[in-house]
Amino acid sequence: MSELSIPLRGFYSEAAWLQSEFGAAVQSRMFPNQLQCEMCVVRLHDAWARFCRELIITSALGKTLTISGVVLIRASGISTRITVIPQLMGTFRRRRNEPNWYDATDCIDAAQRLGLTNLTTIGGALGSVNSPADSIRKVRNFYAHRGSETALKAGSTGIFSKPSAPDVFELAGFSAHGMTHFETWVLGLKTIAQAATL
């Protein structure tokens, strides 16, 4: 029997590690490590995408136990783990690449196409209006590509004092919740991940 608690624990562990690494990089007062901070943002975005992908695959397998004790039914056409993505891709007419797993709309669409029995739970959690995933994506894209357009999109998150030059160290500033922006991101994603695996 598969368990949704496994990808959830994996994401929790990686997110906690990244939060610790980000904090350590910022607190090197003499030489705060900009590269390390930026890589924590990039890796957090990647960890979220990997969690969402695993959530869909594990849910489709059937005989999967949610963290609230519900046993999910196998999705139609699925025989093993390796058949999930081909089955999903077969539902598209033109799409050649896997969904953008970090994107809530793509994930919910994948869950719907596969006919997952926990579609409502996944949709309600990943589609949350309080999700920080889109802000993380915008900031991550700037640190990964460093273009003027990506800088403006990162600046549109409202986190940075200079929207055209997003300074990664500002993510260590305190949000309205009394935590740093990075900590708020991690907590938000962990809350959504838990809700998606109920």
Side-chain angles (χ1 to χ4, degrees), residues 1 6 37 40 78 103 106 151 191 198:
M1 180 176 282
I6 295 172
C37 288
C40 286
I78 303 302
D103 183 272
D106 271 17
T191 301
L198 286 173

Side-chain angles (χ1 to χ4, degrees), residues 42 137 139-148 150-151:
V42 172
R137 178 187 61 80
V139 175
R140 174 262 178 212
N141 285 348
F142 171 68
Y143 296 136
H145 304 294
R146 285 204 143 53
S148 57
T150 57

Side-chain angles (χ1 to χ4, degrees), residues 84-156:
V84 177
I85 298 300
Q87 177 73 17
L88 171 62
M89 296 310 295
T91 67
F92 294 100
R93 287 186 179 178
R94 294 187 178 85
R95 188 167 196 154
R96 297 283 182 260
N97 299 317
E98 288 188 27
N100 295 315
W101 295 110
Y102 55 82
D103 183 272
T105 303
D106 271 17
C107 279
I108 295 166
D109 179 63
Q112 190 169 24
R113 286 172 181 274
L114 288 166
L116 300 186
T117 53
N118 56 340
L119 168 62
T120 303
T121 301
I122 289 172
L126 299 187
S128 167
V129 295
N130 296 325
S131 174
D134 194 52
S135 291
I136 296 168
R137 178 187 61 80
K138 289 174 180 175
V139 175
R140 174 262 178 212
N141 285 348
F142 171 68
Y143 296 136
H145 304 294
R146 285 204 143 53
S148 57
E149 186 177 331
T150 57
L152 289 174
K153 287 181 180 176
S156 74

